[in-house]
């Protein structure tokens, strides 16, 4: 393509654009670019950062323990319709139908709310599992911040290359705009 260009300035600008494909590939290995564009959030990829992956694993393990606790409670009180319900901070309350006999509700169940259709409870065991989940979520946020910082440091380590690429692309864009304006001025 360069041999077809008449402008030596344009040839020099194009020739001086650094190849950043390896740098881009390394950054793409760290996070999902499409998700970042769609959500304006920095979503790390699994397998990129060991600390992040470990924290994510602890969250999945804590959520699994909550499901095991629910299964045990269903069997223990013989209430197959027992489920987790709630919202916000209380998203893991044990919800049972209002028609479940009150006398069969264990003494350790602490009532947190009720409607005509259901009653919501918490238990000490549930609270322990929720504390473990909250700790895992806090660890994940910390790991995410530290991993994001490492990705930014990686990007910044080649600052001169990125700066040169941006500058040359901007110059190329300006030259194209001038050429287009020149064409328009000539009546073409």
């Amino acid at each position: 393509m360069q041999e077809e260009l008449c402008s030596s300035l344009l040839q020099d600008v194009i020739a001086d654009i650094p190849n950043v494909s390896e740098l881009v590939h390394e950054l793409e290995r760290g996070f999902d670019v499409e998700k970042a564009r769609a959500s304006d959030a920095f979503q790390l990829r699994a397998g990129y950062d060991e600390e992040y992956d470990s924290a994510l694993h602890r969250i999945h393990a804590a959520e699994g323990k909550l499901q095991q606790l629910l299964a045990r409670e269903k069997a223990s009180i013989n209430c197959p319709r027992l489920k987790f319900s709630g919202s916000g901070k209380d998203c893991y309350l044990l919800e049972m139908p209002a028609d479940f006999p009150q006398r069969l509700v264990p003494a350790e169940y602490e009532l947190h709310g009720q409607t005509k259709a259901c009653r919501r409870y918490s238990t000490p065991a549930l609270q322990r599992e929720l504390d473990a989940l909250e700790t895992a979520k806090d660890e994940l946020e910390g790991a995410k911040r530290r991993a994001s910082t490492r990705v930014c440091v990686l990007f910044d380590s080649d600052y001169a290359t990125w700066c040169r690429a941006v500058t040359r692309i901007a110059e190329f864009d300006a030259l194209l705009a001038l050429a287009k304006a020149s064409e328009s001025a000539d009546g073409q």
Side-chain angles (χ1 to χ4, degrees):
M1 178 180 154
Q2 275 189 335
E3 51 280 341
E4 297 174 16
L5 296 175
C6 297
S7 168
S8 62
L9 178 58
L10 193 54
Q11 288 176 1
D12 291 345
V13 168
I14 291 174
D16 198 36
I17 295 175
N19 183 351
V20 293
S21 60
E22 284 185 36
L23 300 171
V24 169
H25 176 69
E26 182 60 27
L27 290 171
E28 286 177 336
R29 194 176 74 75
F31 69 98
D32 190 322
V33 176
E34 293 307 315
K35 282 185 183 175
R37 282 186 186 133
S39 66
D40 288 332
F42 201 67
Q43 181 66 44
L44 291 168
R45 288 188 191 274
Y48 181 74
D49 186 85
E50 192 174 308
E51 180 187 11
Y52 175 80
D53 290 345
S54 178
L56 202 54
H57 175 72
R58 284 192 294 279
I59 285 177
H60 293 311
E63 289 171 340
K65 286 183 178 181
L66 282 164
Q67 292 305 318
Q68 291 171 355
L69 181 138
L70 178 61
R72 281 194 311 270
E73 292 298 323
K74 280 180 178 182
S76 169
I77 65 172
N78 195 22
C79 181
R81 295 189 303 172
L82 186 68
K83 65 181 182 178
F84 285 127
S85 182
S87 61
K89 196 152 177 78
D90 291 329
C91 62
Y92 280 102
L93 292 175
L94 293 169
E95 181 180 283
M96 66 178 59
D99 61 1
F100 186 79
Q102 185 71 32
R103 62 183 166 68
L104 297 178
V105 175
E108 67 187 33
Y109 276 44
E110 181 182 326
L111 185 65
H112 275 260
Q114 63 185 9
T115 66
K116 287 169 103 178
C118 67
R119 293 187 303 266
R120 293 187 182 102
Y121 295 92
S122 182
T123 68
L126 175 60
Q127 196 54 53
R128 282 190 299 276
E129 296 302 335
L130 289 174
D131 290 345
L133 177 61
E134 191 63 34
T135 298
K137 285 182 178 180
D138 290 344
E139 290 172 358
L140 180 68
E141 285 306 308
K144 192 184 297 186
R145 280 192 307 276
R146 287 185 292 279
S148 296
T149 298
R150 285 190 289 275
V151 170
C152 290
V153 167
L154 173 68
F155 177 82
D156 196 46
S157 68
D158 284 307
Y159 174 79
T161 304
W162 290 112
C163 194
R164 196 170 102 226
V166 168
T167 300
R168 294 302 176 248
I169 291 170
E171 289 171 352
F172 180 71
D173 184 52
L175 288 171
L176 287 178
L178 287 171
K180 191 169 187 164
S182 175
E183 262 183 18
S184 297
D186 291 340
Q188 295 178 346

